[in-house]
Amino acid sequence: MFKLIRLFLFMMPPEDAHYFTMNLLKRLGNFLPMAFIIKSLYKSKPRPVTVAGLQFPNVTGLAAGFDKNARYIDTLAMLGFGHVEIGTVTPLPQPGNEQPRLFRIPKDSALLNRMGFNNEGMEVVAERLKNVKSNIIIGGNIGKNKVTPNEEAINDYEKCFKHLYDLVDYFTVNVSSPNTP
């Protein structure tokens, strides 16, 4: 079964496969019996850990880049993650690099990411964060817009920080994107 699903997903460009899978999981999670089944399959053993004064329910977290726009926090919580870092979020929406920008490396079971901070901007992300139902630790990964000169980058970080401050539990400041000029 897994091989069949994998074959189907590998027929799509990697970025499309990502959104297809996450949107499907999100829809399944909205159906309560299915949400219960998924939660029971992915229920993680409670292993709380405290870092910087934050009590994480378990040690399994998801780094920034997977859920750039805070679309899937409740879905990811259903899958057993103890925390999710959203972003990188910039003050203004930006499309990121041209597609294709996500590449499969099957022989290494890896992906190569050259996304370029594609995101819907801090205002859209903030509205989504206000609607999160899960009790999960949320990190906010913030960055500067591509069009912002480096000497003005601090202004972008400050805008994102102030806009998301009451909605996330911690921040990561992304000062270096190797695939963004």
Side-chain angles (χ1 to χ4, degrees), residues 10 13 23 28 30 46 49 56 80 88 91 96 99 103 112 119 134 147 149 157 161 163 167 170 175 179:
F10 270 55
N23 287 328
L28 290 172
N30 289 333
V49 62
F56 293 81
T88 295
Q99 292 185 12
F103 306 90
L112 176 62
N119 74 99
S134 304
V147 297
Y157 296 116
F161 181 84
H163 205 75
L167 303 168
Y170 70 88
V175 295
N179 55 55

Side-chain angles (χ1 to χ4, degrees), residues 2 5 21 25 28 34-46 58 60 74-82:
F2 174 75
I5 293 170
T21 303
L25 281 171
L28 290 172
M34 188 55 83
F36 177 78
I37 292 169
I38 293 171
K39 282 181 186 178
S40 64
L41 287 173
Y42 291 98
K43 186 174 183 177
S44 59
K45 186 176 182 181
N58 65 54
T60 306
D74 293 322
T75 304
L76 294 165
M78 178 180 68
L79 294 175
F81 287 98

Side-chain angles (χ1 to χ4, degrees), residues 89-93 119-129 142 156 158-164 167:
V89 179
T90 55
L92 301 172
N119 74 99
E120 297 177 40
M122 67 183 185
E123 291 184 16
V124 170
V125 168
E127 286 306 310
R128 287 195 183 116
L129 289 170
I142 56 176
D156 280 11
E158 185 178 21
K159 286 176 193 171
C160 286
F161 181 84
K162 287 180 176 178
H163 205 75
L164 301 176
L167 303 168

Side-chain angles (χ1 to χ4, degrees), residues 4-172:
L4 187 62
I5 293 170
R6 185 177 188 268
L7 180 67
F8 170 72
L9 291 174
F10 270 55
M11 291 169 61
M12 297 180 206
E15 198 169 343
D16 293 347
H18 169 76
Y19 288 112
F20 172 82
T21 303
M22 289 310 301
N23 287 328
L24 178 62
L25 281 171
K26 186 174 184 175
R27 285 192 181 99
L28 290 172
N30 289 333
F31 181 58
L32 291 180
M34 188 55 83
F36 177 78
I37 292 169
I38 293 171
K39 282 181 186 178
S40 64
L41 287 173
Y42 291 98
K43 186 174 183 177
S44 59
K45 186 176 182 181
R47 289 180 44 207
V49 62
T50 301
V51 177
L54 289 174
Q55 176 80 32
F56 293 81
N58 65 54
V59 297
T60 306
L62 189 62
F66 190 89
D67 188 7
K68 295 175 174 292
N69 295 301
R71 289 175 182 249
Y72 307 111
I73 294 172
D74 293 322
T75 304
L76 294 165
M78 178 180 68
L79 294 175
F81 287 98
H83 71 282
V84 172
E85 188 172 301
I86 55 141
T88 295
V89 179
T90 55
L92 301 172
Q94 64 182 24
N97 293 330
E98 282 188 41
Q99 292 185 12
R101 55 193 177 189
L102 187 61
F103 306 90
R104 291 185 183 98
I105 308 172
K107 70 180 177 76
D108 295 327
S109 298
L111 288 172
L112 176 62
N113 164 348
R114 293 187 179 139
M115 304 297 274
F117 288 0
N118 58 306
N119 74 99
E120 297 177 40
M122 67 183 185
E123 291 184 16
V124 170
V125 168
E127 286 306 310
R128 287 195 183 116
L129 289 170
K130 291 174 186 174
N131 296 311
V132 170
K133 296 177 182 93
S134 304
N135 184 22
I136 188 170
I137 299 288
I138 301 171
N141 186 302
I142 56 176
K144 77 170 197 73
N145 280 107
K146 189 174 185 176
V147 297
T148 302
N150 285 338
E151 52 277 358
E152 295 175 26
I154 189 69
N155 298 327
D156 280 11
Y157 296 116
E158 185 178 21
K159 286 176 193 171
C160 286
F161 181 84
K162 287 180 176 178
H163 205 75
L164 301 176
Y165 182 82
D166 292 326
L167 303 168
V168 300
D169 299 294
Y170 70 88
F171 282 96
T172 301

